[in-house]
Amino acid sequence: MRQRKRILFVINPISGGKKKTAFNKQVLEVLDLEKFDPTFKITDHANHAFELGKAAVEEGYDAVVAVGGDGTINELGSAILGTGMPLGIIPEGSGNGLALYLGIPLNESAAIRRINRFETAEVDTGVVNGRHFFNIAGLGFDASVSDRFATDNIRGPIGYLRSAINVLSDFQPSMYTLLIDGATYKREAFMVSVANSPQYGNNAYIAPQASINDGLLDVCIVKKFPLYLFPKMVFHLFTKSADQSEYVEIIPGKDITILRDQKGPVHVDGEPVEMGEKLEISIKPRSLKVIC
């Protein structure tokens, strides 16, 4: 009898505001147990998924699976980066940007069946001040929203929308100096997003042409715009036409430095991280193996 692949499912119990009490049972019903030997662990503190991922590498697991959102994916992906261990995804977050881009079903059973196929693809990894990201990192408005959302007691898209409205009421654009592959740009911007994949999540596309395996990051500069145009900017996001707005400039690059006037939050795959005035950003091509 052939040896079954050992898979560790790392479950974030609060991601997306969804209960996951029946998840283990679902896996045991849908996963091909002739091929796979599943283990389940639940995160209970910040960075716990990263710790569990590191332990899985040391313990010789054949794959780890993030049961959560982009933040859980980020922690697990960062833990196994460069080891050759594949990362599976069961999308259970508020936005599920990376999973949607990779075509991983939002339905639990369908996503588990993808793992049964065990087909993998290599994807790029972004790095900002030593922190890895696989979807999008950003500063300005979206980072402030992520910072507010992190302390909100309402999860999911409704909580995120509430945080966005609260931040929008008194948010001011900032000046940025951007050095992208040797060229210098000075911009007053509402926000700057550095995209490895095209969308934040919930099919909101900030960088419609971005690709997760082209060895490039798309620097998306959303310039200062009249607030009465905010609904139109949102419309562009959900119609994959952000790059057609006169207030959006997208510059692809590999070696990126962003300078700002003061330290503040930067969102890294949706999770807020306090960083300084200088952001050094680069890319590691095809550095993570993902089951998709």
Side-chain angles (χ1 to χ4, degrees):
M1 181 178 176
R2 63 182 177 180
Q3 189 173 5
R4 295 186 297 167
K5 292 184 183 295
R6 297 174 63 221
I7 297 184
L8 175 64
F9 288 84
V10 176
I11 304 163
N12 182 338
I14 64 170
S15 62
K18 304 172 186 174
K19 292 184 178 180
K20 304 173 186 69
T21 50
F23 178 76
N24 296 19
K25 181 174 181 289
Q26 183 96 331
V27 169
L28 295 175
E29 290 174 352
V30 178
L31 191 69
D32 187 343
L33 298 180
E34 292 186 1
K35 292 181 181 178
F36 304 106
D37 177 14
T39 300
F40 306 94
K41 294 189 179 179
I42 297 173
T43 61
D44 61 16
H45 58 266
N47 216 42
H48 196 187
F50 179 84
E51 296 165 6
L52 292 173
K54 284 291 187 186
V57 173
E58 294 172 2
E59 294 167 16
Y61 278 87
D62 295 293
V64 293
V65 179
V67 185
D70 287 330
T72 309
I73 293 167
N74 181 283
E75 288 191 27
L76 269 183
S78 298
I80 67 173
L81 195 64
T83 66
M85 177 184 285
L87 172 69
I89 299 171
I90 307 295
E92 299 279 10
S94 299
N96 303 307
L98 188 62
L100 286 168
Y101 174 72
L102 291 170
I104 296 171
L106 299 185
N107 175 273
E108 278 185 357
S109 293
I112 295 166
R113 283 193 287 271
R114 285 291 181 95
I115 294 170
N116 283 337
R117 301 189 324 190
F118 214 74
E119 295 176 358
T120 62
E122 293 179 333
V123 304
D124 300 339
T125 304
V127 186
V128 52
N129 286 10
R131 293 286 298 256
H132 296 107
F133 64 96
F134 305 98
N135 196 46
I136 295 177
L139 56 160
F141 176 73
D142 56 349
S144 295
V145 173
S146 293
D147 197 35
R148 177 73 66 91
F149 181 60
T151 60
D152 202 331
N153 58 2
I154 299 178
R155 307 307 295 171
I158 292 175
Y160 193 87
L161 179 61
R162 187 173 81 165
S163 296
I165 292 170
N166 288 337
V167 170
L168 182 64
S169 61
D170 59 0
F171 187 82
Q172 294 298 319
S174 299
M175 288 299 303
Y176 299 96
T177 300
L178 304 100
L179 293 81
I180 304 173
D181 291 348
T184 302
Y185 309 83
K186 290 184 181 294
R187 299 287 188 269
E188 183 179 27
F190 191 67
M191 66 185 191
V192 179
S193 295
V194 183
N196 189 33
S197 88
Q199 64 161 295
Y200 290 118
N202 296 310
N203 293 311
Y205 286 76
I206 185 63
Q209 306 304 320
S211 169
I212 206 163
N213 54 15
D214 63 355
L216 293 169
L217 296 167
D218 282 25
V219 182
C220 310
I221 305 163
V222 179
K223 302 171 188 175
K224 183 179 180 180
F225 60 87
L227 282 184
Y228 70 83
L229 289 179
F230 189 76
K232 184 177 180 180
M233 300 299 287
V234 173
F235 172 80
H236 279 303
L237 285 177
F238 286 98
T239 56
K240 300 185 183 180
S241 60
D243 53 346
Q244 298 173 27
S245 169
E246 62 183 299
Y247 296 103
V248 177
E249 181 179 9
I250 300 179
I251 306 167
K254 296 179 180 179
D255 296 305
I256 301 154
T257 300
I258 301 176
L259 305 174
R260 55 182 176 172
D261 294 335
Q262 59 186 5
K263 66 180 182 179
V266 174
H267 85 78
V268 181
D269 285 340
E271 300 297 318
V273 180
E274 190 77 11
M275 293 189 182
E277 295 90 344
K278 184 177 184 179
L279 306 179
E280 298 279 5
I281 304 167
S282 59
I283 189 164
K284 297 178 179 179
R286 298 179 181 270
S287 49
L288 179 69
K289 191 178 290 186
V290 179
I291 301 169
C292 57

